[in-house]
Amino acid sequence: GALRSAGARQDLNDAIDDFFELAAAELDLDPSVHFFDQQRLAFSEVVEAGDALVLETEDPSPARLTPLVYQVLEIDYLDTSKQQARGPDRNEIRRGKEFDVYGRPAAFWIYDRHPLDLQGGPASPFSRRVEAEQVLHLFWKLRPTQTAGISWFAPVVKHLANLGGYVGAELSSARAQSCWAV
């Protein structure tokens, strides 16, 4: 009844917009990254690397509107060394992604730090199991059984390599011809 009036609906819409603006400004673990920047980061990572991970976590800081935060991670954070065959009481793990008996993602094995991070000393060789409900694995799925993405640049890389070889051969040929001309 009360929300049927145009004024009440407008008040509710305004309140939702205000809440979203406040929440969007602090949805990332890093306060300098806005919600829209998160989307751009995730999309550019999918284009460049083929995959991106978005980790759902908490920041209990009392200054926050909500403790819920998301962190965009490069696919390098996935511990692809984790492999395990399915057993009677264990899930299959393929390249850091754990699958239940039905082939659905059950968990991801994720490093706490980037494996190539040299700032804090050698990267930890240990990864932790994170339930699939806490991870968004973003990639462009092209086949029903596909479990990982592929860079959008992959189809052109071979052509670019061939072009580089062609340009090199043309330059060598031009150098040789200029020597004969002298």
Side-chain angles (χ1 to χ4, degrees), residues 17-135:
D17 284 345
D18 291 344
F19 179 79
F20 178 78
E21 273 304 313
L22 289 171
E26 59 178 41
L27 269 177
D28 194 275
L29 199 55
D30 178 355
S32 69
V33 180
H34 193 275
F35 176 67
F36 302 115
D37 294 324
Q38 276 187 316
Q39 293 178 59
R40 180 190 50 76
L41 280 169
F43 179 73
S44 64
E45 190 64 22
V46 168
V47 169
E48 183 181 331
D51 301 77
L53 299 173
V54 180
L55 182 63
E56 180 184 299
T57 187
E58 288 187 11
D59 180 356
S61 169
R64 298 186 65 83
L65 179 64
T66 173
L68 174 67
V69 292
Y70 293 95
Q71 183 179 14
V72 178
L73 299 175
E74 299 163 3
I75 196 64
D76 298 340
Y77 277 82
L78 188 64
D79 183 357
T80 57
S81 70
K82 288 281 187 201
Q83 304 281 1
Q84 173 178 286
R86 184 176 322 285
D89 292 327
R90 64 181 195 206
N91 289 333
E92 175 185 12
I93 303 175
R94 277 184 276 145
R95 300 183 46 80
K97 197 170 177 182
E98 188 173 325
F99 298 92
D100 67 12
V101 69
Y102 301 106
R104 296 177 299 213
F108 293 80
W109 290 84
I110 297 177
Y111 292 114
D112 287 329
R113 287 196 340 237
H114 193 285
L116 301 177
D117 179 13
L118 302 178
Q119 286 297 96
S124 169
F126 303 107
S127 56
R128 63 187 167 94
R129 185 179 187 273
V130 179
E131 294 291 329
E133 291 81 28
Q134 289 183 263
V135 179

